[in-house]
Amino acid sequence: MKALCWQGKNNVQVETVNDPGILNPRDAIVRITRSAICGSDLHLYDGYIPTMEPGDILGHEFMGEVVEIGSGVKNLKKGDRVVVPFTIACGTCFFCQQQLWSSCDNSNPNAWIAERMYGFSGSGLFGYSHMLGGYAGGQAQYARVPFADVGPIKIPEELNDEQVLFLSDIFPTGYMAAENCDIKPGDVIAVWGCGPVGQFAIRSAFLLGAERVIAIDRFPERLQMAGAGNAEMINYEEVDDVIEVLKYLTGGRGPDACIDAVGMEAHGHGMFSVYDSAKLALRLSFDRPTALREAIQACRKGGVLSIPGVYGGWLDKVPFGAIFGKGLMVRTGQTHVHKYLKPLLERVQRREIDPSFVITHRVSLQDGPEAYDMFKKKQNQCVKVVLDPWKEARAA
Amino acid sequence: MSSSIEKPVAQKNYAVGEPNGRCRMRRARKAVSLISGVGLAIFGISRRSWTGAALASAGGYIVYRGIKDRTNGITNIIEVSYTINRSAEEIYRFLRHWENILRLVPNLVNVHDRGPGLALIFGGRFGEFEIRTQPIDQRENQFVAWESMADSAFQHRGSLELREAPGKRGTEVTLAFGYQLPGGGLGRGLTAVFGEHPEQQVRGGLRRLKQLMETGEIATTAGQPTGRRGIKGRILESLYREKMPPQGVERSARQPMIVGD
C-alpha cells in the first residue's frame, strides 16, 4: 500500500510499504477512505517530538471501511463504515472504566519510555512517536486498528465522510477543551489559536452555552473562519497588548475561561519569545509556551485554564505565581475521544454542526508531502487538509 | 486481608543475599564499563542528533551502572508493583501455568521439570542459557517465592505478592527480585541498552501480566508495516526496541490465550 512516512525534520515521503495484518485478536484492518493532517502532525514534521524513527507512518485522523477483523472483535463486521479515534484504549482497565480513555494503561507497547519521561504512560496513539506506542498511522491506504471492539464508531449512511472524519480527533479535542471550561450562562471564553482545534473549541463553547467567545490569532483567514462561527476577533499583531484588549472587551473582568489551542510551537513575540527560540536552538527545550503565558495572565480570578494544545517536555518562564495568585483551575491532557464519539455524532446528525466547515484543501495521498509543507507555511489560506488515499488508484 | 499476614514475603528477606569478596575483578569490570561508557557518550554527543543523543544517554547509563557496580552475591534488588483490575484468585490461577509464564518472561523459551527444581531455558541475543530455580514458599492466592539452585549460572531470588487494592481497583501485584548478573557493571550496562536488563525484564513481565489479565492480549506493533528505516532508523528501532518482541509476545499474537484451568 501507499503511506506517508516521516523521514526526518521537514521530510515526509510517499512510500510503498507492506499492507498491515491482524496481530492481536482484538485488531481490525480498515481500508482508509479519508484521512487528515493535524496541526499536531506539524510538531512531528518540525522535529519537536522525540522518539520518532525514519520510516514511521504518520497520521491519526482517519476513517474507512472495515476489511478484516480479529477473532476477538464481535461488534464489527466487514464492510462497516467507521471513524477511528486517535487514542487507542483497551476498555477494561481502571482508566478506561473512568472514561479517561487517553490514559489507558494497556495500549502502549513502549510504555517504559513514557514512564521515564512522565512517571506514567498514557494510551498509545496512531502515528505519533514511539514513546506513545509507535503504532503505524492512518495517512495510508490501510491501517491496523488495535482494540477495534472498543474504539471505532459506526457511521450511518446518510452522513458523508467529510461530515464525520473529524470525530477522530479535532472535533472531540475542541469540544473537550470547551467542556473543561465549565461554561455557565454569561461566560466569556477566550481562545488562543484559530487552527482547526481552536475553531472547534469556539463552536463547541457556543454549543455549550457561552455568551461570547473571543478568538486570538494572526492569520486573517483563520480569524474570519472564527468570525463566521460568531466569535469576536483579535489579531495579536495589530494590538499592543492582548491582555489589555481582553480586559477592555470583558468590562475589566477578564475572560471566565482561557483555552490555549496553540501548544508548544507558539509564534509569539517579545522578550520571552527570543529567549525560547534561543533555548530551542541549543536543544535545551522543546516548547515555546507564549500562548500559555498570555492565557494564564489574561484569565479572570478563579477562572479556568483549558489546554488542548500539545506540550512535550519542560516549560520555562511559566507564570505559576499567577495561577496560584488568581486560584486558576488548570485542565488539560490528550482527548478522551471515545467518550465524545457518540454524543458528537448525534450533534452532527441533528445538524447542530457540520464539522466539514474547517476543510480548506482536499488532496490525494500522493500530494501529501506538498500539503505538509503548505500547511506548515500556512500558504494558500490553508487551515485543514483532507487526504484521499485512493484518488490515483481510482483515476488509473 | 493483608493485615492478617505478617509480611511473610518481606521482600528483602528473600531477595538479599550475602556478599562475597572478589574485589579486584569487580574493579576491573568497573574500569572497562566506565571507559566504554564514556567513549560511547562522547561519540554520541559529537553526533549532534537524536541518534547521537540516544547513544550519549546509553553511554551515560553504562557509566552510571559501572559506578553503581556492587555485584557479588545478591545485592541488586528490584521491587515493582502494578495494580491489575482482576481478583487475586484469577491472577494466581493464571500464574500457576508455565505456558502462561512463557508469555510473560522475555526470551524464556522452555521450562523443564527435572527435579530437584526447574530448569528455565532462555534464548535471545546473548545465546541460549539455562537457569535452575526452585520454589521456596507459597500461599494460595497470596504469594509465591522462589530462588536459584546453588549450581545455577544466574543467582537470584524472587517473590510475588498479591494484595487486594482499595476501592475495588483489583489486586496490587508486587514483584521483588534480587539477583547477581554475570559480567558486572559492563554486563548490566550492555543489557540495559538492549532492553535485557533484569529490571527492564521484570517490569516488562509484570506489565505483560497486567495486559493479558485485563485485555486478553499483549499490546504490540511487531509486524506492522513501516517505511524505509535507513541506518538511523535501525539504530533507533533497536534503542526503542519495539520491533523486537520477547518470544512470549510473538507467540501471543498467534496463539489463543490460555487462562487458568
Side-chain angles (χ1 to χ4, degrees):
Chain A
M1 66 166 183
K2 293 258 187 293
L4 283 187
C5 297
W6 188 88
Q7 285 296 350
K9 192 174 171 179
N10 295 326
N11 187 358
V12 168
Q13 292 175 16
V14 184
E15 295 187 34
T16 303
V17 303
N18 292 334
D19 288 356
I22 301 278
L23 299 176
N24 263 335
R26 295 171 64 186
D27 289 354
I29 306 297
V30 170
R31 177 187 182 275
I32 297 169
T33 51
R34 283 292 183 282
S35 184
I37 304 178
C38 181
S40 62
D41 286 330
L42 292 180
H43 301 320
L44 305 174
Y45 192 65
D46 293 341
Y48 286 127
I49 302 284
T51 71
M52 286 295 289
E53 290 171 19
D56 284 347
I57 300 174
L58 293 167
H60 57 267
E61 297 179 356
F62 60 98
M63 63 176 299
E65 181 194 329
V66 176
V67 291
E68 205 182 335
I69 51 173
S71 59
V73 182
K74 306 294 178 203
N75 59 328
L76 295 177
K77 58 180 191 305
K78 285 181 193 176
D80 280 346
R81 197 166 147 244
V82 293
V83 170
V84 180
F86 79 96
T87 47
I88 300 170
C90 76
T92 45
C93 69
F94 171 80
F95 296 97
C96 287
Q97 289 179 351
Q98 309 293 311
Q99 295 261 33
L100 300 169
W101 302 87
S102 71
S103 299
C104 174
D105 254 346
N106 294 316
S107 58
N108 184 356
N110 303 324
W112 67 275
I113 308 177
E115 282 176 359
R116 291 263 166 96
M117 271 188 86
Y118 298 153
F120 297 93
S121 171
S123 75
L125 309 180
F126 288 101
Y128 215 79
S129 86
H130 289 265
M131 179 172 84
L132 299 174
Y135 288 98
Q139 286 163 10
Q141 292 179 312
Y142 294 93
R144 164 194 168 232
V145 179
F147 300 122
D149 53 336
V150 173
I153 184 168
K154 283 190 233 180
I155 300 301
E157 256 177 55
E158 76 259 20
L159 296 174
N160 67 41
D161 279 9
E162 291 188 352
Q163 286 173 299
V164 291
L165 172 61
F166 303 132
L167 289 174
S168 57
D169 177 356
I170 52 173
F171 184 16
T173 298
Y175 190 88
M176 185 169 113
E179 195 184 69
N180 279 343
C181 294
D182 274 341
I183 296 172
K184 293 175 193 67
D187 274 3
V188 182
I189 313 295
V191 180
W192 274 257
C194 296
V197 168
Q199 299 292 344
F200 280 106
I202 290 164
R203 306 222 176 190
S204 301
F206 281 122
L207 286 174
L208 290 167
E211 182 78 25
R212 292 164 60 202
V213 179
I214 303 170
I216 302 148
D217 205 298
R218 65 181 171 135
F219 294 98
E221 65 274 14
R222 295 184 172 209
L223 285 168
Q224 271 162 24
M225 194 182 266
N230 291 325
E232 294 153 58
M233 303 160 269
I234 299 178
N235 184 331
Y236 67 77
E237 286 187 331
E238 288 172 4
V239 299
D240 288 335
D241 186 343
V242 172
I243 296 159
E244 283 307 314
V245 176
L246 282 169
K247 265 190 190 165
Y248 171 75
L249 288 174
T250 55
R253 298 188 307 276
D256 297 285
C258 293
I259 296 177
D260 168 10
V262 177
M264 65 200 289
E265 290 187 66
H267 287 275
H269 41 95
M271 184 181 71
F272 281 147
S273 149
V274 174
Y275 169 84
D276 291 334
S277 303
K279 280 191 69 174
L280 278 175
L282 294 168
R283 294 233 177 209
L284 292 171
S285 169
F286 304 126
D287 302 317
R288 283 181 306 209
T290 313
L292 181 64
R293 287 180 193 132
E294 244 172 40
I296 293 169
Q297 207 68 26
C299 199
R300 77 150 162 85
K301 290 181 282 184
V304 181
L305 187 65
S306 167
I307 311 168
V310 175
Y311 288 92
W314 293 261
L315 294 195
D316 214 350
K317 301 281 180 290
V318 171
F320 205 85
I323 295 179
F324 179 83
K326 294 191 286 183
L328 301 186
M329 165 141 71
V330 181
R331 303 177 90 172
T332 181
Q334 293 285 10
T335 312
H336 304 300
V337 184
H338 297 57
K339 177 181 168 186
Y340 298 99
L341 285 172
K342 194 160 172 281
L344 294 187
L345 176 64
E346 284 167 4
R347 282 188 187 266
V348 176
Q349 280 178 294
R350 290 198 299 265
R351 313 281 168 197
E352 289 173 24
I353 183 168
D354 179 356
S356 63
F357 77 89
V358 81
I359 303 173
T360 52
H361 291 77
R362 296 166 177 85
V363 304
S364 69
L365 192 71
Q366 205 66 39
D367 296 329
E370 291 78 50
Y372 261 91
D373 192 55
M374 173 183 69
F375 186 33
K376 174 184 169 144
K377 294 174 180 157
K378 300 184 176 64
Q379 291 164 337
N380 305 326
Q381 309 199 328
C382 179
V383 178
K384 188 72 183 177
V385 181
V386 170
L387 302 167
D388 178 352
W390 296 94
K391 197 172 178 184
E392 277 86 13
R394 273 198 310 274
Chain B
M1 173 187 161
S2 56
S3 58
S4 64
I5 306 169
E6 197 192 297
K7 266 261 172 197
V9 194
Q11 291 92 343
K12 269 134 196 160
N13 290 352
Y14 286 118
V16 187
E18 303 77 23
N20 54 34
R22 278 186 300 167
C23 226
R24 240 177 306 163
M25 271 302 290
R26 196 169 70 215
R27 272 197 218 119
R29 275 197 233 110
K30 194 191 265 186
V32 173
S33 149
L34 283 172
I35 291 163
S36 57
V38 168
L40 193 54
I42 290 171
F43 175 73
I45 291 165
S46 68
R47 303 286 300 166
R48 294 173 148 274
S49 67
W50 281 111
T51 327
L55 286 174
S57 32
Y61 192 63
I62 294 179
V63 173
Y64 164 75
R65 296 306 321 195
I67 290 167
K68 235 188 127 192
D69 185 12
R70 305 181 286 121
T71 62
N72 296 333
I74 292 172
T75 50
N76 300 285
I77 300 160
I78 306 155
E79 287 168 301
V80 183
S81 192
Y82 278 94
T83 299
I84 299 182
N85 204 358
R86 286 281 180 271
S87 71
E89 290 75 21
E90 285 172 279
I91 298 167
Y92 192 85
R93 207 186 316 143
F94 182 86
L95 289 171
R96 274 179 47 206
H97 292 263
W98 277 112
E99 306 89 307
N100 291 341
I101 306 282
L102 289 180
R103 303 169 67 185
L104 303 176
V105 183
N107 301 334
L108 178 61
V109 290
N110 218 334
V111 178
H112 299 300
D113 191 352
R114 282 204 203 117
L118 294 162
L120 314 180
I121 314 296
F122 285 81
R125 192 190 308 272
F126 301 120
E128 191 164 292
F129 62 97
E130 183 181 307
I131 290 174
R132 297 181 55 76
T133 188
Q134 58 189 349
I136 48 177
D137 204 355
Q138 60 186 310
R139 192 176 298 171
E140 191 163 346
N141 301 334
Q142 292 180 12
F143 72 91
V144 290
W146 65 95
E147 67 178 6
S148 49
M149 314 271 290
D151 61 344
S152 172
F154 176 65
Q155 288 295 312
H156 67 275
R157 292 172 192 192
S159 68
L160 186 130
E161 192 178 4
L162 305 171
R163 268 192 282 186
E164 193 182 334
K168 294 196 172 123
R169 281 167 167 81
T171 304
E172 290 174 6
V173 182
T174 305
L175 201 150
F177 192 72
Y179 65 95
Q180 178 197 5
L181 191 70
L186 178 61
R188 250 174 298 145
L190 284 175
T191 54
V193 170
F194 289 107
E196 299 193 358
H197 187 271
E199 178 162 352
Q200 291 159 329
Q201 301 226 0
V202 165
R203 202 171 277 280
L206 212 49
R207 194 197 313 282
R208 278 185 282 278
L209 173 65
K210 178 177 163 69
Q211 292 180 349
L212 269 177
M213 295 303 304
E214 291 186 352
T215 75
E217 60 187 46
I218 294 169
T220 184
T221 53
Q224 73 175 7
T226 71
R228 272 181 304 109
R229 285 285 189 224
I231 295 169
K232 184 177 172 186
R234 296 221 176 279
I235 293 173
L236 291 171
E237 195 175 59
S238 165
L239 284 175
Y240 305 147
R241 60 181 183 263
E242 85 292 350
K243 294 301 174 310
M244 293 172 291
Q247 226 130 2
V249 172
E250 216 158 28
R251 214 172 301 127
S252 79
R254 285 166 188 83
Q255 279 185 4
M257 180 188 168
I258 315 150
V259 184
D261 44 12

